[in-house]
Amino acid sequence: MADPALPTPPPKVEIYDTTLRDGSQQVGLDLTVTDKLRVAAVLDGLGVDVIEGGWPGSNPKDAEFFERAKSLEFKNAQLAAFGATRPPRRAVEDDANLAALLAAETPIVTLVGKAWTLHVDEALRTTREENLAMVAESVAFIRAAGRRVVFDAEHFFDGYRADRGYALAVLAAAAEAGADTLALCDTNGGTLPDDVAAIVAELAGDQAAWPHAQVGVHFHNDASCAVANSVVAVAAGGRHVQGAANGYGERCGNADLFSVIASLELKRGHELLPAGRLTALASTARTIADVANLPFDARQPYVGPSAFATKAGLHASAIARRPDAYSHIAPAAVGNQAQVLVSELAGRSNVLAKAAQLGLDLTTDPALAGRVLEQVKAAEHRGYAFEAADASFELLVRRSAGILATWFELEGYRVVIERGAAQDRSEAIVRLQLGTDRVVAVGEGVGPVDALDQALRRGLVGVYPALERIRLADYKVRILDGRDATRAVTRVVLTSADDDGEWTTVGVSEDIVTASWEALADGVAYGLLRAGAAALGGTELDLRSA
Ligand SMILES: [Zn+2]
């Protein structure tokens, strides 16, 4: 008998991922079979319980996925195949979709059935009795083949509001036929948390109605409540939560499984993932975004790079004293990290903290931090943004401190842009001062920036061979203040890379070529600093702390 003095541990909740089926309905998300196998492997590595691989009856790609997945060995997860109940007036033995579900040879089959009378009447155009028979017979057919059945009650919450008795009858039909999980689906995504809490509590508490089945949930985010609904459903007795990586899904997405997992583990004490795996959450989220070829949302709760980024100077000084005072969890718990942003709101401590993150110790010169801050503020006022441009920030600090080497000085450049019928071509002539030497170099490229980049490299590479390993990785242009189109300011953010990593620089001007040159020249200078290239002029003191 359990000791009443001991608190009961929060119950096990099954984590059911539907990224590969429902999540891949998102506009712009197109996964190949190989991508799907990779995502499945990553999710298994994280430790989810169930991975829904797709709908084998609906398309050849999903059928191929299940064929190839037969040779996968999962450490944690079980695979589920998804499909609909049999159509009206057809025997289960004659239904090709149900046959395809069995042919997928997964331990779990998820069957979706109608729970809303409106859909039975208008979408299926059949009788309500026939829909109940479709649910019961389809579940029983899959069960008889020895598979575990999860029943997805489509439009359950709308169905419950429209005709509670019928919606419950659908669940009962599935449970009696052998479904062990009754997943209540908020297919239109408009249900709010208080309704979810009341309905799930009622159903999860009614074990007499389905003694062998657990209640699960599946939420969409159309009212911004998918994660909240999932969390309150578990508090109300739900024992199975469906969701998708990074909240992928059609319209506004599915419940973001990563936020659900983090909230339930860190704030409600549930053990959902294998011990120690929660720290893989941030890297898992990013990897799946990479495989999906979608931009990773910096503001994504728990896992986004900005999830624990602090901008205001007031906060930065407090964070230095009490790191726990301004974040709701320890970022490391989900494998993320705190980030201090340099911005025009920044105070002195922010600059110090950012400089320390870059390995620069400014505390030896109390006046320097203030001077850097003044320059950051002045530059941001003109349109610079150093938040993501660490390399430009470090160069600014070094320039302010008078400790930046000079590898080259610009005497001038000229760019010719040629518009041709077949293709556009640009040519740049760059005149540089290298110590006492003067260099003139010509570059050709597909646009003026490319041509300048080529000319700059050609002029420098003989003196600085390290440049051979430095390449342009990304180039972004943003027009600031478009109200006065001719006077609009252009901000160029440029990412450079060598074999060891990437760095980002920024340039601002009313002229796009000038802004690009600034970002290019900073990118090259920072690359030479990284490479430890000996300078031809200026002083190079090492401010970096060990
Ligand atoms: Zn859905």
Side-chain angles (χ1 to χ4, degrees):
M1 208 173 111
D3 183 345
L6 288 176
T8 26
K12 171 68 190 162
V13 174
E14 185 171 61
I15 295 297
Y16 182 107
D17 180 274
T18 182
T19 307
L20 300 178
R21 199 271 304 171
D22 219 6
S24 67
Q25 300 299 309
Q26 171 162 324
V27 174
L29 179 51
D30 189 22
L31 298 173
T32 64
V33 174
T34 306
D35 293 338
K36 292 185 75 166
L37 293 165
R38 265 194 76 192
V39 170
V42 170
L43 288 166
D44 176 57
L46 178 68
V48 305
D49 297 301
V50 184
I51 297 170
E52 191 176 74
W55 189 330
S58 78
N59 65 73
K61 194 203 264 185
D62 283 6
E64 187 193 334
F65 169 83
F66 284 109
E67 200 51 47
R68 289 173 62 181
K70 285 173 189 171
S71 58
L72 291 184
E73 276 184 35
F74 288 133
K75 291 192 296 285
N76 301 295
Q78 288 198 307
L79 211 52
F82 175 92
T85 57
R86 70 162 175 82
R89 297 172 298 282
R90 185 181 301 167
V92 286
E93 293 81 7
D94 300 333
D95 183 10
N97 281 315
L98 291 176
L101 284 170
L102 292 180
E105 293 182 17
T106 54
I108 302 171
V109 170
T110 299
L111 286 173
V112 61
K114 303 286 186 197
W116 186 4
T117 47
L118 177 74
H119 275 255
V120 178
D121 301 344
E122 302 296 332
L124 281 180
R125 293 172 163 273
T126 191
T127 65
R128 297 177 183 185
E129 293 70 29
E130 171 67 356
N131 181 54
L132 292 176
M134 287 157 56
V135 169
E137 290 170 21
S138 303
V139 171
F141 179 69
I142 300 290
R143 276 297 297 144
R147 311 299 169 79
R148 179 185 159 197
V149 178
V150 171
F151 179 68
D152 271 8
E154 193 187 36
H155 295 290
F156 179 81
F157 292 92
D158 297 302
Y160 181 100
R161 278 187 287 269
D163 187 336
R164 175 179 171 278
Y166 187 75
L168 298 191
V170 172
L171 294 183
E176 277 164 29
D180 71 17
T181 301
L182 306 171
L184 316 177
C185 301
D186 188 25
T187 311
N188 288 347
T191 306
L192 298 179
D194 49 353
D195 290 335
V196 168
I199 294 170
V200 172
E202 178 199 331
L203 299 188
D206 193 2
Q207 279 297 305
W210 25 79
H212 306 296
Q214 61 182 356
V215 170
V217 286
H218 172 115
F219 288 106
H220 282 263
N221 201 35
D222 299 72
S224 279
C225 291
V227 170
N229 284 342
S230 305
V231 171
V232 301
V234 168
R239 294 292 170 260
H240 162 114
V241 178
Q242 302 189 0
N246 301 326
Y248 295 149
E250 60 186 329
R251 305 189 310 274
C252 313
N254 282 68
D256 172 11
L257 206 55
F258 301 143
S259 282
V260 172
I261 290 170
S263 292
L264 289 176
E265 283 216 5
L266 294 172
K267 295 165 192 281
R268 291 293 181 263
H270 292 275
E271 283 178 25
L272 307 177
L273 302 177
R277 292 309 290 156
L278 190 63
T279 54
L281 206 66
S283 63
T284 300
R286 183 180 282 276
T287 303
I288 291 177
D290 284 348
V291 176
N293 199 21
L294 291 173
F296 189 50
D297 181 3
R299 295 169 66 240
Q300 192 170 321
Y302 290 106
V303 298
S306 298
F308 302 97
T310 309
K311 191 163 180 173
L314 172 73
H315 290 188
S317 58
I319 284 170
R321 288 197 311 277
R322 285 297 303 266
D324 57 340
Y326 288 90
S327 62
H328 68 121
I329 60 159
V334 291
N336 208 341
Q337 58 186 33
Q339 194 186 354
V340 181
L341 301 176
V342 175
S343 81
E344 53 187 322
L345 296 173
R348 192 190 161 81
S349 53
N350 232 353
V351 170
L352 287 175
K354 183 71 184 176
Q357 230 176 42
L358 294 171
L360 298 170
D361 181 10
L362 298 185
T363 52
T364 50
D365 183 354
L368 178 59
R371 206 154 69 225
V372 172
L373 180 59
E374 284 316 304
Q375 298 205 2
V376 168
K377 281 182 172 169
E380 294 205 325
H381 186 69
R382 294 200 304 277
Y384 287 81
F386 294 108
E387 282 159 21
D390 281 358
S392 282
F393 175 75
E394 183 172 341
L395 293 176
L396 183 145
V397 172
R398 287 174 174 276
R399 278 187 199 110
S400 310
I403 51 151
L404 186 67
T406 306
W407 290 273
F408 59 92
E409 281 173 295
L410 177 70
E411 200 181 288
Y413 60 73
R414 193 168 68 215
V415 182
V416 179
I417 302 168
E418 195 181 305
R419 185 99 231 225
Q423 64 177 74
D424 295 344
R425 201 181 64 92
S426 294
E427 189 181 87
I429 300 166
V430 173
R431 298 186 303 280
L432 302 167
Q433 200 71 44
L434 302 182
T436 51
D437 294 334
R438 184 165 180 271
V439 172
V440 179
V442 179
E444 256 190 12
V446 289
V449 178
D450 187 30
L452 271 176
D453 184 45
Q454 300 297 333
L456 178 61
R457 285 162 187 280
R458 198 162 292 169
L460 295 178
V461 75
V463 183
Y464 304 113
L467 264 179
E468 305 232 31
R469 295 191 304 118
I470 298 172
R471 62 192 180 276
L472 229 143
D474 192 31
Y475 173 81
K476 287 195 189 74
V477 176
R478 181 143 173 227
I479 309 297
L480 308 170
D481 190 6
R483 280 166 294 180
D484 179 358
T486 55
R487 299 272 302 177
V489 168
T490 302
R491 181 198 292 155
V492 169
V493 176
L494 193 144
T495 302
S496 308
D498 60 18
D499 299 338
D500 303 320
E502 293 186 347
W503 59 96
T504 302
T505 51
V506 59
V508 171
S509 170
E510 285 171 20
D511 181 277
I512 184 170
V513 177
T514 310
S516 302
W517 168 264
E518 271 190 25
L520 268 178
D522 260 12
V524 166
Y526 192 79
L528 293 173
L529 177 69
R530 273 168 70 93
L536 296 171
T539 46
E540 171 57 8
L541 299 176
D542 199 356
L543 258 190
R544 282 163 192 270
S545 46

